[in-house]
Amino acid sequence: MEALTSSGHRKATVARSQGNTTSEGSSPRAALAAICLGFFMILLDGSALNIALPSIQLDTGGTMAALQWLINIYTIPLAALLLSAGLLADRIGARRLFLCALGGFSAASLACAVSPGLVALMTSRFLQGFFAAGVLPTTLAIIARTYPDPAQRAKAITVWGATGGIALIVGPIGGGLLTETLGWRSIFFINVPIGLLALWLAWRHIGETARRDGESFDWLGQILAILGLACLVAALIEGGERGWTDPLTIIALVAGPALLIAFIATELHVSAPVLPLGMFGNSAFSASIANGFAFQFGAYGLQFMIAIFLQRQWGYDALGAGLFFVPFAALWTFATLVLNRRWSQKGARWLLIAGSVVAALGSLICLGVNDRNSWPLLLLGTAVAGFGCGLFGPSCNGAAISSADPDYAGLASGVLNTARQIGMAVGIAVLGLCLVHTDPVLGARIGIAITAVGFVSIAISAYRYLPGHQN
């Protein structure tokens, strides 16, 4: 952390408390409801879209690459802008950013719903990701301001966390039901009334957080990060679709690493880098960030791949595919909200090792996938994998924060969430390649094996680099 401190990154200059800007009738519960609705809407959108992808493909005539882009053109700006969004929240206030970003996300959702074609849909999805990056970092900041009492704040954060679990369950079922009854556009339309309700509650009941002045944004680093990540993901997606000798694929393969190297060089020389590289001098922190990447790669990449496989290979409809994921989501939620908290005294290291081993076991069970008669094995394997992910997923956050300098806990959380979103983008790109294999069943098995290796790597990394009683 010395390099980070010596760079003077994000030194607080003049902190200006804004006081309570809510009306006299404001309610902390209503403020929490607004935060949770915004958080729920963003998570619901992603999980519901996985189920609707084959219907979108039929309606728009898109390719497998187009389906991957529909997910990743949202994930790339979200991943790349999270750190800057957290800094912006400090500058203008978390409430103001939350309102602007949530309003933008709702408008972009409406644009997705009425998109006349694939290009317009992808453009609107990019805007969704752009605005989602402003919603996510503000939720916990607003909770901290709304609930100054530590005990009440802990309860509020539990409710916030439970919202994610509910979205994980409702997303596949709701997405399947909406797609089958009203069409895929309805999964975007549903965001509009939810967003308007959240905006009304936030406007009336959320107080502004403190603001601070600071150094200028690292615009060059931010642009290089977005372009480098986009080119890297493009190379993986288009390589599977166009071939690895296609000129576009070659350009992306060359440009991606070059832009990311330029990004690293920029971060080493600017006074206020968007990603302070000095943080990675701590091996435990670096391992925690790598584990966050691998977690999102496996957990969400697997869900994407199997959702497509069920509908394209086994002929499931959208609702059937959504229902197939109920055990996966329910066990994930149970392990997160019940077991992870009950076993928290064992430490993040223990939970990471135990949960990732269970998730790897679930992936290995899924390797028995064959024809449609093998559905019990796939159902059991995904359920076990979901249970394992729920068990160790929250500990990725705890391990990263515990490993970082306490003065930079917020920044450490932003780096972790950025790595997780990048992991999801790369996971969807890599596992999507497996689905275009000439033998879809073999391709699915290859993808499942890759996720198993990823989960095992988390156990090894946690055992090797994290302290034994880290909480």
Side-chain angles (χ1 to χ4, degrees), residues 150-350:
Q152 293 299 317
R153 185 188 307 156
K155 292 179 180 179
I157 290 175
T158 299
V159 173
W160 174 84
T163 301
I166 294 170
L168 194 64
I169 296 175
V170 172
I173 301 173
L177 184 61
L178 287 172
T179 300
E180 286 298 311
T181 57
L182 301 175
W184 63 265
R185 295 179 186 275
S186 60
I187 68 172
F188 297 111
F189 268 124
I190 198 67
N191 286 338
V192 179
I194 296 175
L196 290 175
L197 175 59
L199 283 168
W200 180 76
L201 289 171
W203 181 264
R204 285 180 55 89
H205 299 288
I206 291 179
E208 189 56 276
T209 59
R211 305 177 196 173
R212 65 170 182 164
D213 296 326
E215 301 175 52
S216 60
F217 282 110
D218 175 19
W219 291 111
L220 178 59
Q222 186 67 88
I223 292 170
L224 288 172
I226 294 175
L227 293 177
L229 179 58
C231 287
L232 178 62
V233 171
L236 294 172
I237 293 175
E238 298 301 331
E241 185 69 24
R242 298 169 176 265
W244 298 103
T245 58
D246 182 83
L248 181 60
T249 303
I250 294 173
I251 291 172
L253 281 171
V254 173
L259 287 165
L260 292 176
I261 291 171
F263 167 71
I264 292 172
T266 299
E267 300 309 277
L268 289 172
H269 291 94
V270 297
S271 59
V274 68
L275 180 61
L277 299 178
M279 299 184 74
F280 295 96
N282 182 331
S283 59
F285 178 76
S286 296
S288 298
I289 298 304
N291 287 345
F293 175 95
F295 163 63
Q296 210 92 340
F297 178 103
Y300 291 92
L302 184 67
Q303 186 182 29
F304 166 83
M305 183 179 68
I306 291 179
I308 301 296
F309 181 85
L310 288 173
Q311 295 177 73
R312 291 182 59 179
Q313 187 65 23
W314 284 1
Y316 278 53
D317 60 19
L319 179 58
L323 291 172
F324 194 92
F325 280 101
V326 169
F328 171 86
L331 287 177
W332 181 319
T333 304
F334 172 75
T336 297
L337 299 181
V338 179
L339 296 184
N340 188 274
R341 296 180 63 194
R342 180 173 297 177
W343 293 340
S344 61
Q345 73 279 3
K346 295 179 180 291
R349 182 174 183 258
W350 186 91

Side-chain angles (χ1 to χ4, degrees), residues 90-187:
D90 288 343
R91 302 279 182 82
I92 70 173
R95 176 182 182 268
R96 180 178 298 178
L97 181 57
F98 180 81
L99 287 169
C100 293
L102 187 61
F105 186 88
S106 301
S109 297
L110 180 60
C112 286
V114 299
S115 294
L118 198 55
V119 173
L121 179 58
M122 287 190 179
T123 302
S124 301
R125 283 286 293 164
F126 176 87
L127 292 174
Q128 276 191 311
F130 177 87
F131 288 114
V135 174
L136 289 181
T138 58
T139 53
L140 289 177
I142 293 172
I143 287 177
R145 186 248 176 266
T146 306
Y147 293 90
D149 178 71
Q152 293 299 317
R153 185 188 307 156
K155 292 179 180 179
I157 290 175
T158 299
V159 173
W160 174 84
T163 301
I166 294 170
L168 194 64
I169 296 175
V170 172
I173 301 173
L177 184 61
L178 287 172
T179 300
E180 286 298 311
T181 57
L182 301 175
W184 63 265
R185 295 179 186 275
S186 60
I187 68 172

